[in-house]
Amino acid sequence: MDFVKATSADLTSVRALYRDVIDQTPQLDQHARWKHGLYPTDALFASFIEDGSMYLLADGGTVVAAMAMSMGQEEDYHEVPWQVDAADDEVAVIHLLAVRPSRQGQGLASRMIDEAVRLAQDEGKRAVRLDALATNTPAQRLYASKGFQPRGRQNLYAENTGWTDFLFFERAT
């Protein structure tokens, strides 16, 4: 399997992967609450691809997993009591981690996280951070198994979730 940075030619494959995740993942309405047309959107995929922060795991030409990874954090992460004292540009943030439903349970999400940590280390980042819905217990178990520590909880508004609790996680690099 190849871990690669997505290009504009991959937009259709990226869209198809997330559509499959939305349509075929059991309990997605509880765990991620992704919804067609609301989140994630084609514009968001295109933005991540354009700025070089969308990564794919491909098996025989088929995209089996994807994630976006920002090499910096946004202001909405400032209120969290992080363990690692780091400036915004000293942090990498994982977004939109997804695995094709037919390939879930095969360690692909774990591999994507390992690749994200490696990329962050290569870029000299001091920590990798992410957030998840408080109801997304499978993701929380995965992050804990990869050395991420829970660092806070906030009630935030998003178009696809309304007001809901998000948990924030961090791993020093």
Side-chain angles (χ1 to χ4, degrees), residues 41-55:
T41 63
D42 286 355
L44 184 60
F45 300 142
S47 173
F48 281 129
I49 290 170
E50 184 177 311
D51 71 11
S53 59
M54 178 67 78
Y55 295 89

Side-chain angles (χ1 to χ4, degrees), residues 75-135:
E75 194 172 306
D76 55 345
Y77 273 49
H78 288 177
E79 298 301 316
V80 177
W82 300 113
Q83 182 174 347
V84 177
D85 184 20
D88 290 347
D89 64 351
E90 295 177 311
V91 173
V93 180
I94 298 172
H95 310 275
L96 296 173
L97 177 61
V99 175
R100 188 171 298 282
S102 64
R103 301 295 298 269
Q104 291 174 2
Q106 298 177 10
L108 301 181
S110 180
R111 168 130 185 237
M112 294 296 282
I113 290 174
D114 290 342
E115 294 287 358
V117 170
R118 181 189 58 77
L119 286 169
Q121 290 169 334
D122 289 351
E123 293 290 324
K125 303 302 181 188
R126 299 185 61 216
V128 178
R129 297 175 178 161
L130 52 84
D131 64 75
L133 290 177
T135 56

